Amino acid sequence: MSQIKLGSHVGMAGKEMFLASVKEAESYGANILMLYTGAPQNTRRKEISELNIEAGWEYAKKAGIEEIIVHAPYIINLANTVKPETFELAVGFLEKEIKRTAAMQSKILVLHPGSALDAGTEAGIAQAVKGLNMVLDANDDDVVIALETMAGKGSEIGRTFEELKMIYDGVHKKDRLRVCFDTCHVNDAGYDLVNDYDGVFKKFEEVLGLDQIAVFHINDSLNLLGAHKDRHANIGAGTIGFDPLYKVVHDERFLDVPKILETPWLCAEGETKKTIPPYKEEIARLLR
């Protein structure tokens, strides 16, 4: 039986950069990790040569970590039809991010499909398709872009499996697309993992195919089913609860699919600042 690939989002900072990321993941008992190549809310990035990639991988192999996931910054909005400069920035930055992902020896770049703003879903999807084609048609790396299932807050696209399928339908290099299935987002979008686990994945199979799931984000949700909010909760502390999330982690159909925790950090007793990562305990609990 394959080993479950379970880890969390980790940081990348200081002199050690990627090496620090790997050490953090190891401290949680993780065998996989996800990171941003820089701050998610801006486009400032260090040179690839400064990321300490070689030393990080040397350590990773010894720690039993053989795979990493990169998450694109959420300021990339390929669905923006309103501001041409925002769209151009998104396309240019995504091109560079694919190069960085390949340099970091990752095969999967997770991307939020974007927000349509006032233009409407169809216009947003068409714009995202245009951007993905511009990026992928000009790029031959073997990195796939995993479009994240979204909660549907505001004018986000990708809130339904059908909307993701519409993006697939317009992209030339469909073999370079995959899906990142976020359990919190799916719940907030209205898919009932608690009462209709099999039905949700049956629906996904019908619309896109289960083989398109390249990575899971394992998160509980603070919100009720269909709330379209997107607020993550710690495992077992939200409206999805422990059992459905445990079921995803152990689902035999997805044993080879990486699973990444993005749950909130915790406060020390009497403190208001979140300083304690929950991942070591959550990983141990989910692997029981």
Side-chain angles (χ1 to χ4, degrees):
M1 184 171 136
S2 300
Q3 184 189 23
I4 291 169
K5 297 175 182 176
L6 186 60
S8 73
H9 183 249
V10 295
M12 183 165 69
K15 282 187 180 159
E16 289 196 327
M17 293 303 283
F18 180 50
L19 177 57
S21 309
V22 176
K23 287 178 178 176
E24 184 184 344
E26 184 192 35
S27 77
Y28 302 147
N31 57 14
I32 195 154
L33 61 88
M34 183 178 78
L35 48 75
Y36 289 101
T37 62
Q41 66 274 32
N42 66 46
T43 55
R44 289 195 297 276
R45 293 295 181 267
K46 290 197 174 194
E47 292 297 320
I48 286 169
S49 59
E50 293 176 54
L51 299 180
N52 207 14
I53 295 168
E54 211 171 300
W57 272 114
E58 209 174 297
Y59 192 100
K61 297 275 163 58
K62 290 176 194 156
I65 295 169
E66 291 175 7
E67 197 176 344
I68 69 164
I69 312 290
V70 175
H71 198 308
Y74 43 74
I75 50 155
I76 291 180
N77 185 7
L78 287 180
N80 191 327
T81 60
V82 181
K83 287 190 176 172
E85 63 275 22
T86 304
F87 177 74
E88 281 159 27
L89 171 100
V91 168
F93 195 75
L94 187 57
E95 283 175 353
K96 290 178 187 155
E97 200 72 339
I98 288 175
K99 295 284 179 207
R100 272 191 289 270
T101 302
M104 293 202 71
Q105 298 171 41
S106 171
K107 302 274 191 257
I108 301 169
L109 177 61
V110 175
L111 177 71
H112 291 184
S115 289
L117 305 175
D118 296 334
T121 303
E122 281 186 24
I125 287 172
Q127 189 77 335
V129 164
K130 178 182 167 186
L132 285 166
N133 280 330
M134 286 169 75
V135 171
L136 293 174
D137 288 354
N139 174 279
D140 289 325
D141 286 301
D142 60 355
V143 172
V144 298
I145 291 177
L147 301 168
E148 189 162 337
T149 55
M150 301 309 289
K153 67 177 189 297
S155 60
E156 278 177 347
I157 61 171
R159 72 184 76 195
T160 65
F161 303 155
E162 286 80 6
E163 285 183 14
L164 292 177
K165 174 73 162 53
M166 285 167 74
I167 298 173
Y168 265 78
D169 286 346
V171 169
H172 306 145
K173 292 186 175 177
K174 292 175 180 45
D175 59 320
R176 296 281 301 280
L177 290 184
R178 293 292 185 279
V179 174
C180 169
F181 190 107
D182 186 307
T183 55
C184 168
H185 295 176
V186 161
N187 171 82
D188 287 19
Y191 293 98
D192 194 350
L193 286 168
V194 179
N195 300 301
D196 191 22
Y197 181 92
D198 292 332
V200 171
F201 284 109
K202 185 169 182 281
K203 181 74 176 165
F204 192 95
E205 169 67 34
E206 286 165 5
V207 177
L208 283 153
L210 295 177
D211 61 338
Q212 291 305 297
I213 301 175
V215 56
F216 282 94
H217 285 168
I218 304 292
N219 301 304
D220 213 327
S221 174
L222 286 174
N223 297 105
L224 295 172
L225 180 72
H228 300 300
K229 289 269 179 65
D230 183 13
R231 288 180 66 214
H232 298 184
N234 291 97
I235 302 299
T239 58
I240 301 171
F242 181 78
D243 290 347
L245 299 174
Y246 183 89
K247 200 170 177 181
V248 173
V249 170
H250 291 265
D251 194 317
E252 288 189 1
R253 296 170 295 182
F254 310 125
L255 283 182
D256 288 329
V257 180
K259 297 165 186 86
I260 301 291
L261 296 163
E262 298 176 309
T263 48
W265 281 36
L266 307 168
C267 301
E269 205 171 325
E271 298 287 323
T272 51
K273 204 172 175 210
K274 294 184 173 184
T275 55
I276 303 167
Y279 306 124
K280 187 174 183 179
E281 287 71 23
E282 290 185 343
I283 287 170
R285 232 179 123 202
L286 284 166
L287 287 178
R288 251 178 231 147

